[in-house]
């Protein structure tokens, strides 16, 4: 089958999550004996379009237009749906991040296509493709078949490695889509308040340090951030920590937040509710710091310390600093 | 202002979900079912908009077998005005759910449809965006804050997206999907629960709505993932650092 992967541009570059979608799309194309193309949309996107030439795609389709300057669901969905129809793609994939989650179902409806969210495995790439995906906050692994052609799928980033660029240079093709303004004009971009951070992106980081309700205040949350900084880690949080205003929304890890799978994950003052665990259980090594020895987080942690975080975390920071100084 | 809010019946997220022996579904015995938490937030938002406007109607719609009337009544007990039950034997996939909702929306002609960003049973997160596309309306997913213009012609919605908060303006009618921090749903009061019993509820079959269901997704099998194995408890920070450096080799 011929697979279309929709890549996302963020601040002038391809969003890293898109590289996992490329891996999944490539696998689907190879398993079914077809090929894959990559579509990129935006304004002034020669740079990221060039980046996308290095993954062995049959073509890189570039929709560069003023109307696509800011992401908005309707104009973007119009472009994707038109490209799929005109070029006869059988499958449309993108990352299961907020871009893909917002855009893809709208594309699916326009194509009257079935959509599978959050695929973690390509099981069969035949006439009626079959995928694996989590349900019920990861309590269930479901095997699901999609019966339409074309169909749509979003890709869970932690389940597919990021595609690595090679030597190739896929042909670029510019696509012009006449956007229906009567529909696209119904939504307007106003502003984006970025949660600026010097730290690595949560879903990319090798190490993630997360704090929960046990951290107790915004001021104390500094401690979590300090530990992250000595480790060069990203900062995450439980929903309770976010709801209590200790940290920004987009630090939330879990079923309804970010899905992460770093080499090392610290859960500090986090009880280990299933909705949180859903977002981090595929981490390679999990460390839990919690004063309650009954906390469910200890059932999945590789290393646990039953202690007061306000004692343990400062000591950890001190000792890590010393180790660092010693080289 | 007419506000249509969708509610799905789902297992209580605080309860452990088990897959049945056949791998065809979950074990329902002794399970408690509730309004999908995101839909409860959607109901609350609908009520707040109506209260702020000082006029309007909040209509609840649920698709599923007759037991979903429990969740409609629960939303009515929170303060919604009336319910619509679309009676089907099992929960349709999101595309078919959206087709049914489209028919309901066309019948009701609301100023806004508020839904959850995802149902926490299937975790699909699709129906709202699909409905918006089918109606040719704007969508604002993952809503964190919703402000309706005085003349009900548009709304300004702040959305929780990767890397920050995005604000968009949408023409009404539109579909908004609720994220966790949009509001804190109220509890139903005792008088609210009593009143809910007599509030009107219409029941339709898909055929009454002129919709023919044709499933696009098929659940082949469900399994419980192997549980992650627990590890060890260490006593000191030194011991932890030693393990992380020399055993796990992650720092
Ligand atoms: C629909 C829905 C979606 C959800 N999605 C998510 C999600 O995506 N992500 C998420 O995280 N949650 C999510 N939740 C919430 C989840 O169910 C839990 O409520 C939440 O994860 C709890 O956060 P917590 O562990 O920080 O807080 P708590 O459960 O309150 O745990 C705090 C922990 O801190 C420990 N502690 C307290 N003081 C100290 C101290 N001084 N030293 C050491 N330890 C201490 C306590 O022993 C306790 O274990 C969702 C819930 C619902 C209903
Ligand atoms: N059977 C249903 N009845 C009513 N609303 C539903 C139903 N299924 C989905 N929805 C709505 O659509 C949202 C997204 O669902 P889903 O796409 O299944 O994750 C939910 O939060 C509900 O608001």
């Amino acid at each position: 089958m011929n697979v279309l992967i929709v890549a996302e541009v963020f601040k002038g570059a391809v969003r890293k999550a898109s590289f996992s979608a490329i891996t999944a799309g490539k696998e689907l194309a190879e398993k079914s004996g077809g090929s894959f193309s990559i579509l990129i949309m935006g304004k002034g996107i020669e740079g990221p379009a060039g980046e996308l030439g290095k993954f062995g795609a049959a073509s890189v389709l570039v929709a560069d237009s003023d109307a696509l300057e800011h992401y908005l669901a309707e104009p973007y969905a119009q472009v994707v749906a038109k490209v799929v129809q005109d070029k006869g793609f059988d499958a449309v994939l993108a990352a299961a991040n907020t871009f893909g989650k917002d855009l893809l179902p709208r594309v699916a409806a326009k194509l009257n296509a079935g959509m599978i969210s959050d695929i973690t495995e390509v099981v069969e790439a035949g006439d009626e493709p079959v995928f694996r995906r989590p349900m019920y906050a990861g309590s269930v692994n479901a095997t699901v078949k999609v019966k339409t052609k074309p169909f749509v799928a979003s890709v869970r980033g932690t389940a597919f490695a990021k595609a690595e660029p090679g030597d190739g240079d896929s042909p670029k093709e510019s696509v012009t889509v006449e956007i229906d303004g009567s529909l696209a004009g119904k939504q307007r971009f106003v502003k984006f308040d970025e949660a600026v951070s010097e730290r690595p992106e949560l879903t990319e980081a090798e190490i993630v340090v997360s704090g929960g309700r046990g951290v107790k205040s915004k001021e104390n949350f500094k401690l979590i951030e300090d530990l992250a900084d000595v480790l060069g880690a990203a900062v995450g949080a439980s929903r309770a920590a976010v709801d209590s205003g200790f940290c920004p929304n987009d630090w939330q890890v879990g079923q309804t937040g970010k899905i992460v799978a770093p080499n090392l994950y610290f859960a500090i003052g986090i009880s280990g509710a299933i909705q949180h665990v859903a977002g981090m259980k595929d981490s390679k090594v999990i460390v839990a710091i919690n004063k309650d020895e009954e906390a469910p987080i200890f059932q999945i942690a590789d290393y646990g310390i039953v202690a007061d975080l306000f004692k343990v975390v400062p000591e950890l920071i001190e000792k890590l600093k010393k180790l660092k100084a010693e080289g | 202002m007419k506000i249509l809010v969708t509610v799905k019946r789902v297992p209580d997220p605080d309860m452990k979900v088990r897959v049945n022996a056949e791998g065809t579904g979950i074990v329902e015995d002794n399970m408690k079912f509730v309004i999908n938490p995101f839909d409860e937030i959607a109901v609350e938002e609908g009520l707040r908009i109506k209260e702020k406007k000082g006029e309007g109607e909040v209509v609840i719609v649920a698709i599923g077998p007759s037991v979903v009337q429990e969740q409609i009544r629960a939303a009515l007990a929170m303060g919604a005005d009336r319910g619509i039950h679309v009676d089907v034997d099992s929960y349709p996939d999101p595309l078919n759910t959206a087709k049914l909702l489209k028919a309901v929306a066309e019948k009701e002609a609301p100023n806004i449809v508020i839904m959850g960003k995802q149902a926490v049973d299937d975790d699909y997160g699709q129906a709202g965006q699909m409905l918006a596309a089918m109606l040719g309306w704007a969508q604002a997913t993952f809503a964190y804050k919703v402000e309706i213009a005085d003349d009900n012609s548009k709304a300004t919605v702040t959305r929780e997206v990767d890397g920050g908060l995005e604000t968009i303006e949408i023409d009404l009618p539109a579909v908004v999907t609720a994220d966790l921090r949009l509001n804190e749903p109220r509890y139903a009061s005792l008088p609210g629960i009593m009143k809910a019993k007599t509030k009107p509820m219409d029941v339709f079959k898909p055929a009454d709505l002129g919709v023919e269901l044709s499933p696009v997704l098929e659940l082949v099998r469900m399994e419980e993932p192997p549980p992650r194995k627990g590890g060890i408890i260490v006593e000191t920070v030194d011991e932890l650092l030693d393990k992380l450096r020399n055993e796990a080799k992650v720092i």
Side-chain angles (χ1 to χ4, degrees), chain B residues 1 19 26 48 65 77 87 109 138 146 155 200-201 220 223-224 232:
Chain B
M1 182 96 187
V19 175
I26 64 160
R48 287 190 192 184
D87 188 7
V146 177
M201 172 139 49
V220 179
E223 285 150 311
E224 285 175 24
I232 57 164

Side-chain angles (χ1 to χ4, degrees), chain A residues 213 216 238-239 252-253 256 269 271 275-276 290 308-309:
Chain A
R213 197 196 314 268
K216 292 194 178 68
S238 71
R239 175 185 170 187
Q252 180 176 315
V253 170
T256 56
S271 61
Q275 293 88 0
H276 186 79
N290 197 305
D308 185 349
L309 73 93

